Amino acid sequence: QVYVVFSEELQCWCRALVESVQCQAHGCQLRCFLVDYARYCYVASEKIRVLAGVFAKIPYRARKCRLHCTKPLTLHIDYCENTAKIGPARRWDTAAIQHFRTLVE
């Protein structure tokens, strides 16, 4: 389901997919993926609307994708043995993400 949310960062209404909902004492926050900007943002529940008919059929400008057979790596440092090895990681670190974005641009 695609919705329209108001992005404070972009200062405009954007099409979005709701990823998750976090309810707090002062209201709910929605984690959304902006399908035309390829960004994630948090939006208050009051700033979400249902997308009108024909606008829902317009293709997204951004797509979620993965690099085929590419796994994140990180540098594991052992201070006791004074060694460093590259090994698997659970997530990409910010330096690797920034380097990839630079290469793509």
Side-chain angles (χ1 to χ4, degrees):
Q1 176 78 32
V2 180
Y3 296 95
V4 178
V5 297
F6 187 78
S7 169
E8 294 292 335
E9 181 184 350
L10 301 171
Q11 289 296 307
C12 65
W13 289 90
C14 307
R15 293 186 299 166
L17 295 172
V18 176
E19 296 278 320
S20 64
V21 178
Q22 297 177 352
C23 290
Q24 300 167 350
H26 61 275
C28 291
Q29 290 279 324
L30 307 166
R31 183 173 187 259
C32 299
F33 177 72
L34 305 179
V35 297
D36 293 320
Y37 295 95
R39 292 184 184 182
Y40 288 93
C41 69
Y42 285 95
V43 178
S45 59
E46 303 87 39
K47 296 187 178 185
I48 186 169
R49 306 286 186 270
V50 176
L51 187 60
V54 290
F55 293 109
K57 296 178 183 176
I58 298 172
Y60 306 153
R61 292 178 58 198
R63 297 270 186 222
K64 291 184 187 179
C65 61
R66 297 176 194 221
L67 297 174
H68 180 66
C69 294
T70 304
K71 304 279 185 201
L73 298 174
T74 190
L75 186 63
H76 297 282
I77 300 173
D78 186 352
Y79 292 105
C80 296
E81 295 183 17
N82 200 22
T83 60
K85 296 179 184 176
I86 293 179
R90 291 184 185 179
R91 303 180 128 204
W92 291 98
D93 62 8
T94 53
I97 294 169
Q98 184 62 38
H99 179 66
F100 179 73
R101 286 183 178 160
T102 304
L103 290 174
V104 169
E105 289 174 359

